Amino acid sequence: AQTVTQSQPEMSVQEAETVTLSCTYDTSESNYYLFWYKQPPSRQMILVIRQEAYKQQNATENRFSVNFQKAAKSFSLKISDSQLGDTAMYFCASGPGAGSYQLTFGKGTKLSVIP
Amino acid sequence: NAGVTQTPKFRILKIGQSMTLQCTQDMNHNYMYWYRQDPGMGLKLIYYSVGAGITDKGEVPNGYNVSRSTTEDFPLRLELAAPSQTSVYFCASSSPQRATQFFGPGTRLTVL
């Protein structure tokens, strides 16, 4: 069984500043994936970034990067140069590295970018 | 390439009514999923399918049924709607080679 915990229900950041969203997880899988999804007010689930657990290098996608600490089971998301369009719910999720790839989601962090 | 499409976008049901939520993907993905998202919560897996004719239960399957007769379609059936099924429903798909799931726009269902 997998569990994902996001301990920050809400966060805010000034435009152009940097913010870090926290996520911890627990899994019995030896190979697994971790994801951050963004859900703006439109409700659409949008993939932000993904990390394969067997890779030591932290994933980056433009202004988005992760800090993956495998031993601590921590997977935080850093957003640099925050933009108004980053305002959204952010969900951390984990899934097995093989089989059906079922995802387990955290409860989400509501991020507000302030002009 | 439309990705994952869901119909309807919104629906109001009375207690005891039945309905089918439609989901179609055009990415030739073998794997498809149904999730529900309750207010203030993350998504929870209802059912999933790894290919046509193969389905399995997720974390919260009670009150729902699915079928998968084609690669493209994965409908979710609610037989006797209950207020506890008021939620937003998301369909998703992925390929066996890649774990990333692509989501549809969701269906907001209210049961009164």
Side-chain angles (χ1 to χ4, degrees), chain B residues 22-43:
Chain B
Q22 301 291 346
C23 175
T24 300
Q25 54 91 11
D26 62 2
M27 296 175 282
N28 201 31
H29 285 168
N30 285 38
Y31 296 175
M32 296 187 74
Y33 314 83
W34 275 106
Y35 295 89
R36 61 176 286 173
Q37 183 181 26
D38 298 329
M41 302 292 287
L43 280 66

Side-chain angles (χ1 to χ4, degrees), chain A residues 59-80:
Chain A
T60 62
E61 286 287 343
N62 301 316
R63 298 183 294 108
F64 300 89
S65 62
V66 298
N67 183 4
F68 175 44
Q69 302 288 329
K70 191 172 184 178
K73 296 186 177 179
S74 170
F75 183 60
S76 60
L77 174 70
K78 186 171 82 170
I79 305 174
S80 304

Side-chain angles (χ1 to χ4, degrees), chain B residues 11-17 81-86 109-112:
Chain B
R11 184 73 185 267
I12 298 175
L13 283 182
K14 294 182 178 178
I15 295 172
Q17 286 186 321
S84 61
Q85 294 177 306
T86 294
L109 176 67
T110 302
V111 182
L112 300 174

